[in-house]
């Protein structure tokens, strides 16, 4: 049983307070969606967990109650940016093992790459340069790069932004599958409230550096709460397929 | 991807093949100089001169011993001084000199010398006249007894000097560029010894020293007030002011001849050169204006630069000087109103005849004291005395005619 | 199993190995061709005999081959390699395809250092060229560090870097012009000559120093291969993979500064080798630094050798500076690159 516990995480950029001390606990095998307005510190929060941002407070990872101090146990998948690398898909995925790579790459390492590429159906494009891929393919390769090292915590920064509907589902299903299979803690930042409720076992709503709510989707996606946070009139409905849908009506 | 690799590989290979081909076929022309080299070596053995071994310190302060009288020279610089001291036959001893860029940099010298001594153009070119870079390999191959270079060539090729010495080539550094009497005389003395023409060299040195001492003693004996001089190199034409000199070249000549150089107040007094401000020149209202000429670009070009020196007809010099005097505001200047405007040859500096310009400028400053001096004639006489075979027709000194 | 990614990858790497072998082979050919070219017109058999006879002979041929051609050709190899390797790594750590010793103004800094030494007669043990090399060296390192720290505070993105390079170039060119302006005509000529890289300044000392720096730099850099490769996959990603990007950058930049200084300190500014070689290498073997580092290094020496041979063939008496050749070829290359980069954004 994996558990990630954060205590009083706070981050300042100069004089500006970004996070005001967040204390929460995340359970393995579950996915948490982080939602909130632009600039409230969603990305900062998961970067702090990944150790990529200077922060105060503690973030600790336990496996069956045992403290784990391995930085490689946490994988952070950055948002897809303008990345023009000509590394091939195979090489990109291989780089996920960068800390263990020597001049000579071992057969086991190659086999690991091989396995994950096949699993993610990237075989046909394995020798294509990364910069020639579509957004969805790039995201999958990014995920593969992170998953190859079998992380215990998977942090996804807006994994579905700029992807078409089909790839949104493929990417999120992949994360869900991995979480269930390995019992990892998965936290993803997302703007789309539908995806948040569809994949998040619970939703963490951040507003102005504080946790506004951390609960099941039906308890977070409440019109009054969202209107307050997002400044829009919003209608929350249950769909016929059993999902929760938040439809924005107009800005307030 | 594969195709691309092939394409690139093929083009690289192609380059290599082309280069190797040209390398193997191209360079056979220089073998002719080798034969004459061997002939000279034969002559070398039979020579025996009492003044050798000759031990001396060159201008770079290096101690050198030349064991036997040298028979072959590479003249990295100062070919004219070399021949003035050695006479026309000394050209036979020259097995190499920088020919690249000679015509472009010193058109007058090039034209006059190649007309009077056509064989000079057949010497092996061992470097560029315009830069100081020597072709080390070709010099080694030519293997002269002595390699003569100047100070800047010495600095630029410092790493090659030990290689030359290892090959048994005596490297001797001369200097006429700094326009110092001691460097002029010492370089001449060295050339005189190496060429076995000590008498000529001594005569030349005496002539040089006497001329300058005479000028200075005449001036110091008189109690005339010194006058102000503006000297400009007419290399940029009428529209833009060319360089003035302070403490070097024309600057030091003006100082030696007892004039007040207006450039001394604005340029670095040691080795300064650079154009003076138009306004400054006009406000100083100098007593005398000197425009230095030469042939900087191709002879036939129709520009407004000052033209002086070897091969130049005086009509042209006068014509160009007129142009300079038509500059805005010049008609108000003392010098122009009094007709105290002169043209001198920049190309005639840096050799043993340049004492003529100390005389010339003294004459400009103190006309009454040096009435009998004729710089144009003195320069011609100098050439005729030491190198009569050279067609030294040219214009070395003019006084402006309104 | 035909198209298993694993096998495809191994296959591609095999091809890259072949490319490397071929480029080594071509470079050796170019090396030999360069030794055979020279103004004295020695025959190839003479050259081979002299080479085999060793450096201790007394003949002129021995001097020509062992004291002039070999140092020149070897300097060519090491200078080209150093410039190419430093160009590659500067591009890698700045993630900027237009970065190179020349475009960043590091060469201009070195050139100014040399100009100072020439103007003020800075000598070491009475020898001018050592003083010149050392000042050029120090300036190359100082400029690299300045660029690095500017980059650190302003972010090492394309615009900042290229603009910093332009500023450095302007600044040092201006300072150098000032020195040239105030120096005597003869000294100005020497300064001028220094700003075109010229192999006639090569000596065994330049061979040993540039070779030493190259070998040490090469060995250290090969220890970082995977980390450097990871940086090409994006800074944030590299960080998230657990790489200390800042520290890697500093190490690499220091190594590059030494490589550049060792290259330009002796023979003067040679432009664009550091830009052209890494790009050609990338086209040939991709971004994996295990292949990219060796192939770039070899291509750098190849480009220099070809340029030097061309310069020798074009010269007659005076020696055409090799830096002029690389510039003439390099500028159009930079232009094409710039156009392509512009389109990509």
């Amino acid at each position: 049983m994996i558990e990630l516990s954060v205590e009083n995480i706070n981050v300042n950029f100069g004089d500006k307070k970004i996070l005001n001390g967040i204390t929460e606990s995340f359970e393995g095998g579950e996915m948490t969606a982080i939602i909130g307005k632009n600039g409230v510190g969603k990305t900062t929060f998961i970067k702090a967990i990944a150790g990529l941002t200077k922060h105060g407070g503690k973030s600790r990872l336990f496996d069956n109650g045992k403290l784990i101090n391995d930085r490689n146990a946490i994988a952070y998948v950055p948002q897809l940016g303008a990345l023009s690398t000509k590394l091939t898909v195979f090489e990109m995925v291989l780089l996920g093992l960068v800390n263990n790579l020597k001049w000579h790459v071992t057969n086991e390492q190659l086999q690991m790459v091989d396995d994950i590429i096949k699993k993610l159906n990237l075989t046909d494009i394995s020798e294509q340069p990364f910069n020639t891929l579509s957004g969805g393919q790039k995201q999958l390769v990014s995920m593969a790069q992170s998953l190859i090292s079998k992380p215990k915590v998977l942090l996804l920064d807006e994994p579905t932004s700029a992807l078409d509907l089909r790839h949104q589902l493929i990417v999120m299903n992949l994360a869900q599958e991995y979480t269930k299979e390995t019992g990892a803690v998965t936290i993803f930042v997302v703007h789309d409230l539908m995806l948040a409720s569809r994949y998040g076992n619970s939703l963490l709503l951040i507003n102005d550096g504080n946790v506004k709510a951390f609960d099941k989707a039906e308890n977070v996606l409440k019109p009054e709460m969202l209107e307050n946070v997002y400044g829009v009139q919003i209608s929350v409905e249950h769909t016929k397929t059993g999902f929760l849908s938040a439809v924005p009506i107009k800005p307030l | 991807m594969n195709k691309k690799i092939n394409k690139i590989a093929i083009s690289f290979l192609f380059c290599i093949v082309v280069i190797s081909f040209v390398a193997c076929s191209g360079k056979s022309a220089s073998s002719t100089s080798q034969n004459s080299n061997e002939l000279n070596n034969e002559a070398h053995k039979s020579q025996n001169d009492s003044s050798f071994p000759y031990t001396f310190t060159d201008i770079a302060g290096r101690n050198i011993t030349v064991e036997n009288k040298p028979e072959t020279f590479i003249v990295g610089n100062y070919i004219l001084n070399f021949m003035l001291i050695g006479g026309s036959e000394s050209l036979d001893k020259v097995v190499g000199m920088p020919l690249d860029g000679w015509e472009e940099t010193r058109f007058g010298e090039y034209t006059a010398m190649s007309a009077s001594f056509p064989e000079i153009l057949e010497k092996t070119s061992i470097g560029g006249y315009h830069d100081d870079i020597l072709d080390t390999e070709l010099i080694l191959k030519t293997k002269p007894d002595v390699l003569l270079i100047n100070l800047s060539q010495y600095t630029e090729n410092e790493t090659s000097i030990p290689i030359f010495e290892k090959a048994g080539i005596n490297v001797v550094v001369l200097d006429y560029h700094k326009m110092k009497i001691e460097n002029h005389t010492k370089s001449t003395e060295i050339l005189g010894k190496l060429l076995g023409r000590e008498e000529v060299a001594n005569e030349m040195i005496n002539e040089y020293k006497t001329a300058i001492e005479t000028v200075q003693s005449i001036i110091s004996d008189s109690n005339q007030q010194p006058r102000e001089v503006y000297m400009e190199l007419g290399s940029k034409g009428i529209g833009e002011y060319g360089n003035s000199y302070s403490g070097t070249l024309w600057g030091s000549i003006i100082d030696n001849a007892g004039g007040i150089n207006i450039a001394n107040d604005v340029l670095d007094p040691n080795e300064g050169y650079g154009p003076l401000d138009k306004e400054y020149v006009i406000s100083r209202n100098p007593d005398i204006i000197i425009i230095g000429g030469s042939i900087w670009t191709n002879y036939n070009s129709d520009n407004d630069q000052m033209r002086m020196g070897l091969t130049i007809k005086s009509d042209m010099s006068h014509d160009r000087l007129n142009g300079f005097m038509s500059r805005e505001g010049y008609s108000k200047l003392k010098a122009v109103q009094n007709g105290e405007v002169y043209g001198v040859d920049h190309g005639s500096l840096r050799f043993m005849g340049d004492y003529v310009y100390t005389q010339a400028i003294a004459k400009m400053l103190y006309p009454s004291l040096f009435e009998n001096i004729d710089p144009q004639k003195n320069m011609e006489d100098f050439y005729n005395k030491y190198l009569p075979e050279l067609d030294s027709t040219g214009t070395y000194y003019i006084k402006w005619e309104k | 199993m035909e198209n298993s990614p694993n096998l495809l990858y191994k296959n591609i790497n095999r091809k890259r190995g072949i490319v490397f072998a071929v480029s080594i082979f071509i470079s050796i050919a170019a090396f030999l061709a360069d030794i055979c070219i020279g103004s004295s017109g020695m025959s190839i058999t003479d050259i081979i005999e002299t080479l085999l006879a060793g450096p201790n002979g007394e003949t002129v041929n021995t001097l020509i081959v062992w004291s002039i051609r070999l140092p020149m050709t070897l300097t060519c190899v090491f200078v080209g390699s150093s410039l190419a390797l430093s160009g590659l790594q500067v591009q890698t750590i700045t993630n900027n395809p237009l970065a190179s010793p020349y475009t960043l103004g590091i060469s201009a800094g070195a050139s100014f250092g040399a100009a100072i030494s020439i103007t003020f007669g800075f000598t070491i043990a009475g020898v001018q060229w050592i003083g010149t090399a050392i000042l050029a060296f120090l300036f190359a390192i100082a400029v690299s560090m300045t660029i690095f720290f500017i980059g650190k505070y302003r972010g090492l993105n394309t615009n900042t870097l290229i603009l910093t390079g332009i500023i450095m170039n302007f600044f040092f060119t201006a300072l150098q012009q000032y020195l040239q302006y105030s120096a005597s005509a003869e000294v100005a000529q020497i300064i001028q000559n220094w700003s075109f890289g010229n192999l006639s300044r090569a000596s065994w000392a330049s061979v040993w120093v540039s070779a030493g720096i190259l070998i040490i730099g090469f060995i250290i850099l090969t220890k970082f291969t995977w980390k450097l490769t990871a940086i090409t996959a994006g800074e944030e990603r590299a960080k998230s993979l657990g790489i200390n990007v800042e520290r890697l950058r500093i190490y690499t930049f220091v190594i590059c500064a030494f490589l550049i200084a060792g290259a330009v300190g002796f023979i003067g500014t040679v432009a664009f080798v550091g830009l052209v070689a890494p790009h050609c290498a990338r086209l040939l073997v991709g971004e994996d630094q295990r292949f990219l580092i060796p192939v770039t290094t070899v291509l750098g020496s190849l480009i220099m050798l070809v340029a030097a041979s061309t310069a020798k063939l074009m010269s007659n008496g005076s020696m055409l500076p090799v830096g002029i050749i690389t510039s003439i070829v390099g500028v159009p290359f930079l232009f094409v690159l710039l156009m392509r980069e512009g389109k990509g954004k």
Side-chain angles (χ1 to χ4, degrees):
Chain A
M1 178 66 182
I2 296 164
E3 194 194 350
L4 175 73
S5 113
V6 299
E7 266 173 56
N8 193 27
I9 294 276
N10 58 82
V11 175
N12 298 326
F13 289 162
D15 292 340
K16 206 177 161 208
K17 263 197 171 328
I18 305 294
L19 295 178
N20 294 334
I22 295 182
T23 303
E24 296 295 349
S25 174
F26 303 91
E27 273 184 28
E30 297 223 323
M31 293 178 67
T32 306
I34 301 187
I35 56 173
K37 275 191 306 188
N38 282 335
V40 294
K42 302 188 295 290
T43 297
T44 310
F45 179 55
I46 59 170
K47 274 190 167 178
I49 295 172
L52 297 173
T53 297
K54 258 196 187 161
H55 60 89
K58 275 185 218 156
S59 162
R60 287 180 301 177
L61 179 62
F62 298 96
D63 192 355
N64 290 324
K66 231 173 54 196
L67 184 67
I68 293 177
N69 246 335
D70 181 6
R71 232 207 122 287
N72 288 323
I74 303 176
Y76 167 78
V77 182
Q79 196 179 345
L80 271 190
L83 188 57
S84 60
T85 180
K86 294 182 189 70
L87 283 166
T88 65
V89 168
F90 194 96
E91 288 166 329
M92 280 296 273
V93 177
L94 182 62
L95 277 176
L97 300 170
V98 66
N99 290 300
N100 302 313
L101 289 176
K102 295 276 166 352
W103 188 276
H104 177 75
V105 181
T106 64
N107 269 330
E108 294 95 279
Q109 288 168 328
L110 290 178
Q111 198 53 52
M112 281 166 81
V113 179
D114 205 67
D115 291 345
I116 199 153
I117 282 184
K118 282 178 182 155
K119 193 172 166 204
L120 269 59
N121 287 324
L122 297 170
T123 310
D124 291 343
I125 56 165
S126 78
E127 291 308 333
Q128 271 189 35
F130 187 75
N131 63 344
T132 61
L133 304 181
S134 72
Q137 290 170 326
K138 282 181 180 168
Q139 188 64 43
L140 281 172
V141 173
S142 265
M143 300 270 290
Q145 191 183 51
S146 300
L147 299 183
I148 193 169
S149 60
K150 303 263 186 297
K152 295 193 161 54
V153 177
L154 183 60
L155 305 166
L156 307 172
D157 194 356
E158 300 198 22
T160 55
S161 65
L163 300 195
D164 59 45
L165 283 176
R166 189 176 121 77
H167 276 102
Q168 289 186 1
L169 294 181
I170 292 176
V171 166
M172 290 314 297
N173 282 339
L174 174 66
Q176 196 172 43
E177 205 177 304
Y178 179 80
T179 312
K180 280 184 183 149
E181 262 175 31
T182 61
V185 172
T186 296
I187 304 176
F188 63 105
V189 172
V190 72
H191 275 295
D192 186 330
L193 298 179
M194 277 219 302
L195 281 174
S197 67
R198 162 96 170 69
Y199 288 99
N201 300 84
S202 45
L203 272 55
L204 181 74
L205 175 60
I206 297 183
N207 196 27
D208 292 334
N210 294 308
V211 174
K212 185 91 177 169
F214 184 26
D215 207 337
K216 297 222 173 309
E218 52 266 38
N219 298 331
V220 178
L221 298 185
K222 290 199 165 140
E224 33 322 347
M225 175 110 64
L226 297 177
E227 275 169 17
N228 194 357
V229 169
Y230 285 98
V232 289
Q233 192 185 339
I234 233 163
S235 139
V236 180
E237 289 149 23
H238 283 274
T239 62
K240 282 181 193 158
T241 41
F243 296 115
L244 210 55
S245 148
V247 182
I249 312 291
K250 63 176 184 190
L252 290 175
Chain B
M1 188 69 185
N2 243 335
K3 268 186 188 161
K4 205 183 259 171
I5 294 175
N6 284 339
K7 240 187 224 167
I8 293 173
I10 286 169
S11 39
F12 272 134
L13 261 174
F14 180 73
C15 286
I16 304 301
V17 170
V18 168
I19 284 174
S20 337
F21 177 74
V22 182
C24 300
S25 64
K27 298 271 178 176
S28 52
S30 56
S31 58
T32 42
S33 65
Q34 217 183 331
N35 295 333
S36 62
N37 194 359
E38 274 160 20
L39 278 179
N40 283 323
N41 281 340
E42 287 299 313
H44 184 178
K45 280 168 200 148
S46 61
Q47 282 282 347
N48 230 333
D49 197 296
S50 59
S51 59
F52 287 88
Y54 166 43
T55 302
F56 62 101
T57 309
D58 74 359
I59 305 294
R62 302 156 65 247
N63 287 317
I64 297 162
T65 301
V66 179
E67 295 293 340
N68 295 304
K69 188 180 175 201
E71 291 304 325
T72 54
F73 290 84
I74 283 181
V75 185
N77 218 312
Y78 311 126
I79 182 70
L80 189 53
N81 282 295
F82 181 88
M83 287 184 68
L84 283 163
I85 297 163
S88 62
E89 64 274 20
S90 64
L91 186 56
D92 296 339
K93 297 183 178 177
V94 178
V95 294
M97 60 175 281
L99 291 171
D100 294 48
W102 189 22
E103 180 176 2
E104 291 82 353
T105 14
R106 298 198 128 205
F107 187 86
E109 186 184 279
Y110 168 84
T111 311
M113 292 192 79
S114 59
S116 303
F117 310 101
E119 67 271 32
I120 202 167
L121 296 181
E122 271 141 49
K123 304 287 178 192
T124 305
S125 177
I126 50 76
Y129 218 95
H130 52 295
D131 56 25
D132 296 313
I133 296 162
L134 299 173
D135 187 334
T136 320
E137 189 171 326
L138 206 49
I139 292 173
L140 279 178
K141 185 75 186 175
T142 314
K143 203 169 179 307
D145 294 338
V146 171
L147 168 64
L148 302 168
I149 52 174
N150 72 2
L151 278 169
S152 49
Q153 286 172 321
Y154 175 64
T155 314
E156 183 69 65
N157 298 282
E158 220 177 346
T159 49
S160 311
I161 307 290
I163 302 173
F164 292 139
E165 284 167 346
K166 208 174 159 196
I169 300 172
N170 290 294
V171 181
V172 178
V173 181
L174 304 176
D175 171 60
Y176 290 93
H177 270 76
K178 289 205 185 295
M179 292 291 292
K180 284 186 187 155
I181 297 180
E182 62 267 31
N183 287 10
H184 265 55
T185 54
K186 192 163 183 191
S187 302
T188 304
E189 188 191 315
I190 294 170
L191 279 174
K193 278 269 201 203
L194 294 176
L195 284 162
R197 304 261 290 186
E198 288 159 87
E199 283 149 47
V200 180
N202 287 336
E203 193 180 344
M204 212 180 258
I205 291 168
N206 277 335
E207 206 174 307
Y208 196 91
K209 283 185 173 163
T210 316
I212 287 173
E213 280 160 16
T214 311
V215 165
Q216 284 172 338
S217 72
I218 292 176
I219 294 169
S220 61
D221 290 348
S222 80
N223 41 15
Q224 292 193 19
Q225 282 296 312
R227 301 198 298 155
E228 291 198 340
V229 183
Y230 169 58
M231 190 278 155
E232 178 189 329
L233 196 63
S235 58
K236 291 186 183 162
I238 299 166
E240 193 183 344
Y241 278 32
N243 285 342
S244 275
Y245 299 88
S246 174
T248 177
L249 297 172
W250 297 104
S252 52
I253 298 179
I254 294 169
D255 295 343
N256 281 337
I260 298 170
N261 180 6
I262 67 165
N264 285 357
D265 296 335
V266 281
L267 295 175
D268 171 9
N270 292 315
E271 271 206 26
Y273 69 97
L276 301 189
D277 186 39
K278 292 182 186 184
E279 208 174 305
Y280 173 75
V281 173
I282 290 179
S283 68
R284 279 298 284 257
N285 197 2
D287 300 300
I288 295 160
I289 295 175
I290 306 172
I291 305 290
S294 186
I295 308 169
W296 284 282
T297 44
N298 137 29
Y299 183 82
N300 294 316
S301 81
D302 223 3
N303 59 32
D304 58 357
Q305 294 171 339
M306 188 64 192
R307 284 267 162 87
M308 293 290 290
L310 283 163
T311 73
I312 296 291
K313 302 235 162 38
S314 72
D315 293 357
M316 176 179 254
S317 301
H318 279 291
D319 207 42
R320 296 286 168 97
L321 188 56
N322 269 331
F324 278 87
M325 290 311 109
S326 68
R327 277 173 169 174
E328 194 87 26
Y330 267 36
S331 59
K332 303 264 164 32
L333 294 179
K334 257 189 290 187
V336 177
Q337 284 171 351
N338 299 336
E340 294 197 84
V341 175
Y342 303 86
V344 293
D345 176 29
H346 193 63
S348 293
L349 294 186
R350 299 159 172 169
F351 91 125
M352 283 305 279
D354 59 33
Y355 68 85
V356 170
Y357 288 106
T358 307
Q359 297 175 326
I361 290 179
K363 185 183 169 78
M364 299 172 197
L365 289 160
Y366 308 98
S368 59
L369 299 180
F370 298 97
E371 257 173 74
N372 55 343
I373 283 196
D374 180 349
Q376 172 72 27
K377 184 171 173 300
N378 287 359
M379 187 63 87
E380 286 168 3
D381 289 350
F382 180 83
Y383 276 118
N384 288 334
K385 180 171 174 187
Y386 292 104
L387 197 56
E389 295 86 347
L390 178 74
D391 177 7
S392 58
T393 314
T395 307
Y396 307 102
Y397 172 91
I398 57 165
K399 183 167 191 205
W400 183 50
E401 292 152 5
K402 276 199 217 183
Chain C
M1 255 347 246
E2 262 299 288
N3 57 349
S4 146
N6 187 345
L7 290 179
L8 275 174
Y9 177 71
K10 283 181 176 167
N11 211 3
I12 279 197
N13 278 353
R14 201 162 25 245
K15 277 185 196 148
R16 289 168 171 171
I18 294 170
V19 168
F20 176 62
V22 169
S23 63
I24 289 256
F25 175 76
I26 299 175
S27 291
I28 292 173
F31 180 88
L32 295 175
D34 190 62
I35 290 189
C36 292
I37 301 171
S39 46
S40 65
M42 274 170 84
S43 70
I44 290 180
T45 44
D46 278 354
I47 291 165
I48 294 168
E49 270 172 28
T50 318
L51 275 175
L52 295 177
N56 295 320
E58 288 299 315
T59 65
V60 167
N61 281 355
T62 307
L63 276 175
I64 290 178
V65 171
W66 284 92
S67 301
I68 298 174
R69 290 202 190 169
L70 263 183
M72 251 161 85
T73 306
L74 287 170
T75 301
C76 218
V77 168
F78 296 124
V79 164
S81 304
S82 300
L83 288 174
L85 185 54
S86 58
L88 168 67
Q89 297 312 352
V90 171
Q91 286 167 16
T92 304
I93 59 175
T94 59
N95 227 327
N96 183 337
L98 297 181
S100 79
Y102 186 70
T103 45
L104 291 182
I106 301 172
S107 301
S111 189
F112 174 66
I116 288 185
S117 152
I118 294 163
T119 312
F120 298 105
F122 174 69
T123 59
I124 301 282
V127 184
Q128 171 80 59
W129 67 265
I130 301 182
T132 307
I134 286 181
L135 269 191
F137 200 91
L138 293 178
F139 268 82
I141 289 176
V143 176
S144 309
M145 291 300 121
T146 312
I147 292 173
F148 183 76
F149 284 108
I150 290 174
K152 210 176 156 198
Y153 289 108
R154 297 272 301 124
L156 283 166
N157 63 37
T158 311
N159 291 341
T160 316
L161 264 177
I162 291 303
L163 288 176
T164 311
I166 291 172
I167 290 168
M168 288 289 166
N169 266 320
F170 279 153
F171 180 60
F172 286 108
T173 308
L175 288 179
Q176 184 167 327
Q177 279 173 340
Y178 173 74
L179 283 185
Q180 254 173 292
Y181 180 80
S182 47
S184 72
E186 288 74 40
V187 171
Q189 175 71 55
I190 298 175
I191 296 175
Q192 173 74 29
N193 284 350
W194 212 91
S195 59
F196 317 118
N198 196 318
L199 284 164
S200 69
R201 276 182 281 266
S203 64
W204 280 108
S206 67
V207 172
W208 296 128
V209 174
S210 54
I213 295 177
L214 174 69
I215 290 165
I216 294 170
F218 188 92
I219 290 173
I220 301 176
L221 285 173
T222 54
K223 300 242 178 281
F224 297 151
T225 42
W226 283 109
K227 292 183 175 174
L228 289 166
T229 309
I231 286 192
T232 50
E235 179 177 350
E236 196 162 44
R237 201 167 294 268
K239 277 185 184 163
S240 68
L241 290 171
I243 292 166
N244 190 335
V245 175
E246 284 307 308
R247 205 169 59 198
L248 182 60
R249 271 194 180 141
I250 292 180
Y251 288 167
T252 310
F253 220 97
V254 169
I255 295 167
C256 288
F258 272 90
L259 283 171
I260 296 165
V264 298
F266 289 98
I267 68 161
T269 310
V270 179
F272 297 112
V273 175
L275 191 72
V276 176
H279 281 281
C280 292
R282 265 193 210 102
L283 283 178
L284 290 170
V285 296
E287 303 255 19
D288 184 340
Q289 296 262 347
R290 288 180 302 158
F291 297 95
L292 200 45
I293 289 178
V295 172
T296 302
T297 310
V298 173
L299 286 188
S301 64
L302 179 60
I303 291 171
M304 271 296 275
L305 286 167
V306 171
S309 299
T310 313
K312 281 202 241 177
L313 290 173
M314 283 171 72
S315 306
N316 175 30
S318 65
M319 176 109 180
L320 184 66
V322 67
I324 290 180
I325 306 250
T326 61
S327 296
I328 291 172
V329 180
V331 171
F333 189 90
L334 177 64
F335 181 75
V336 170
L337 218 62
L338 201 64
M339 288 297 138
R340 251 190 17 198
E341 279 300 305
K343 232 162 62 181
K345 290 277 148 68

